Amino acid sequence: MSLQNVMIVMTKSDHIPTAHPAGWTERCSLSQCRRPPPSGRTYVQPAPRTDRALRALERLRRAVAEFPREARREVLEAMAPTTRLALLAFMERLERSKAPLTVAVPGGESSQRPRPWPARLAKAKARLRSAEREAHRPWRPRAARIARTARTATARSDRQGQGGVYRKQGGWMAKLCLIPYFYVSSRCFQSPQQAASMLKVLRRARDLTAATATATSSCYRSELLKQALVDACCQEGLELQDLAPSFTAYVDAKGIVGCAVSSRSSTCLEEALDHRSLLLAGRAKGWSHFREAWLHVLQATVQRRPSRAWGRARSKPLKKAHAEVFVDKARRSFELQMEATAVAVCRKRLARAVQKVDAVLKESHKKRSL
DNA sequence: CACACCAATGCAGCAGCTGT
DNA sequence: ACAGCTGCTGCATTGGTGTG
């Protein structure tokens, strides 16, 4: 299709009769066509082919507008000449007609005002802000998800026969999520059977905890958990020191820093539970609060097993300055990652828009040659 | 319906100590 | 001297849920 043809199509569209005072523009919205019109307003049926071309071009125009000004030339040059000409003609026409064009694109928003660059980045940042707004909404586990996940985990462990029992270089250990964001590990055992029997105890403790605590509460009392562990051990004819549990808070913070954050393992249940509460409360209140909680956890000295474990197993608490560097670096790299994602999404949207315009142009060309 | 997000599980690796 | 022990850490994976 030539540039002239594009102009012809656009001129024709101007003459499509409409009962709406704003002209043809509002009819172009697919979503509006599907919905019953607002009271007192009438819409006529859309002219499919013309509208499709206009919609595709408007979609492309906005996809290009999402790029920073300096990148737009490169974007345009990467297009096929016909597509570029069609878009430029469309934009010229848009510029000439001072009437605000509001060709709506499915899933898009009004085109009266182009979205500022980078729209996706702004959206990403809004998401960050919304995480901060969560301050007023206390965290609660999704009961359905937890129940389903528990079923899945059970199914998986049934399949594998030893879910929750992990092989270490020197032996076997049992690990289980006792309550959401809170893990308990047994000490290391020589055989997988021993570790499996400890896993059974941990599962029993989890069931006892679930039976006594409300599923929607994020506040778990340490005495309750400890009692559940003691009772579970007792039912298997064991002592708590046979299990020798250690506890870790593990809070998913991918929405804030792009990773999960865990506290150091502690043999003190209260300590680990406290870290869990701090991290969860921080996460619910947004980045600045989460940062404080994370810093606290990183600097905390925890109770460890009196074992001969070394290396990473005995990582030291960080000094304040080091903790701050660590935390801020994580946040910065998360922000950069979000920006990169936003750019990738813009490119993807552009590719789709170009494809759509190409298809419309090709179809129109075919019809003309018949 | 595709994609992003999230909870939970699974596992490799770390690195100094200990036993031979 | 060195292989093995130890259990904690960090990250990948899995699969369900939410959202546009």
Side-chain angles (χ1 to χ4, degrees):
Chain A
M1 179 190 264
S2 69
L3 188 60
Q4 244 179 342
N5 292 333
V6 174
M7 297 306 289
I8 290 165
V9 167
M10 292 170 71
T11 311
K12 275 182 184 170
S13 76
D14 272 351
H15 294 292
I16 295 166
T18 170
H20 195 270
W24 48 269
T25 56
E26 204 161 338
R27 289 182 303 106
C28 295
S29 164
L30 271 184
S31 54
Q32 281 171 335
C33 287
R34 286 192 195 117
R35 264 186 248 129
S39 57
R41 303 174 97 179
T42 52
Y43 302 108
V44 296
Q45 286 300 309
R49 189 154 63 90
T50 320
D51 276 3
R52 231 175 43 233
L54 285 172
R55 274 205 304 271
L57 283 164
E58 173 57 13
R59 183 174 169 173
L60 180 57
R61 186 188 69 77
R62 277 200 276 118
V64 172
E66 283 195 334
F67 284 83
R69 194 172 287 277
E70 60 274 15
R72 283 180 207 158
R73 173 183 285 273
E74 187 199 326
V75 164
L76 285 170
E77 278 170 1
M79 284 178 199
T82 45
T83 315
R84 185 169 59 238
L85 280 175
L87 175 65
L88 291 174
F90 174 74
M91 286 165 76
E92 257 172 44
R93 167 93 185 108
L94 209 60
E95 189 60 37
R96 273 210 302 279
S97 70
K98 290 295 172 190
L101 296 179
T102 55
V103 181
V105 172
E109 53 197 47
S110 167
S111 66
Q112 275 181 326
R113 230 178 299 128
R115 281 195 284 171
W117 166 261
R120 293 289 302 184
L121 178 59
K123 202 174 166 189
K125 285 190 174 163
R127 204 157 54 216
L128 285 178
R129 280 197 298 277
S130 90
E132 285 171 18
R133 278 201 299 277
E134 297 255 319
H136 310 292
R137 190 149 56 93
W139 175 90
R140 61 186 175 78
R142 274 167 275 189
R145 169 182 287 182
I146 285 167
R148 198 186 303 256
T149 308
R151 279 199 301 277
T152 313
T154 310
R156 195 186 300 157
S157 67
D158 285 350
R159 263 202 316 277
Q160 296 178 349
Q162 49 177 301
V165 169
Y166 307 115
R167 188 183 166 79
K168 308 275 59 179
Q169 281 170 18
W172 300 80
M173 63 180 285
K175 180 171 144 188
L176 183 92
C177 179
L178 189 61
I179 56 174
Y181 317 109
F182 196 73
Y183 292 79
V184 54
S185 305
S186 72
R187 69 174 176 83
C188 203
F189 294 96
Q190 283 190 340
S191 74
Q193 289 76 22
Q194 283 173 300
S197 74
M198 289 305 166
L199 180 65
K200 204 170 153 191
V201 171
L202 293 180
R203 281 193 182 137
R204 184 73 197 131
R206 182 177 62 185
D207 293 345
L208 289 172
T209 306
T212 47
T214 54
T216 53
S217 169
S218 62
C219 299
Y220 291 88
R221 285 179 26 235
S222 58
E223 312 91 77
L224 191 145
L225 296 182
K226 198 172 272 177
Q227 194 55 51
L229 283 166
V230 168
D231 290 348
C233 284
C234 192
Q235 287 176 17
E236 293 293 319
L238 297 166
E239 299 277 332
L240 192 57
Q241 54 261 41
D242 296 327
L243 180 67
S246 74
F247 308 94
T248 315
Y250 186 82
V251 173
D252 192 307
K254 286 197 181 68
I256 298 181
V257 286
C259 63
V261 169
S262 72
S263 69
R264 293 201 158 74
S265 280
S266 170
T267 51
C268 176
L269 199 149
E270 288 84 1
E271 205 167 57
L273 213 49
D274 184 45
H275 287 165
R276 173 185 178 273
S277 306
L278 266 174
L279 290 171
L280 283 176
R283 189 181 73 166
K285 288 176 183 169
W287 166 239
S288 60
H289 288 82
F290 187 77
R291 183 178 181 275
E292 290 306 310
W294 196 3
L295 286 175
H296 178 89
V297 166
L298 285 174
Q299 293 173 79
T301 310
V302 296
Q303 290 182 32
R304 285 186 294 238
R305 284 200 177 93
S307 66
R308 56 192 187 93
W310 291 94
R312 273 210 289 185
R314 287 222 164 167
S315 64
K316 293 186 178 73
L318 294 184
K319 292 265 183 285
K320 194 182 179 204
H322 285 132
E324 281 177 342
V325 167
F326 179 81
V327 163
D328 292 336
K329 196 175 160 191
R331 171 71 175 189
R332 183 67 198 134
S333 90
F334 171 64
E335 283 174 347
L336 288 174
Q337 193 188 321
M338 294 286 275
E339 282 172 26
T341 307
V343 170
V345 168
C346 283
R347 291 204 180 279
K348 202 167 168 184
R349 186 179 290 168
L350 176 76
R352 273 200 223 119
V354 165
Q355 211 174 0
K356 208 82 180 169
V357 168
D358 284 348
V360 172
L361 293 181
K362 207 175 273 179
E363 191 185 323
S364 182
H365 180 74
K366 207 192 273 177
K367 284 204 173 140
R368 275 174 52 78
S369 60
L370 284 176

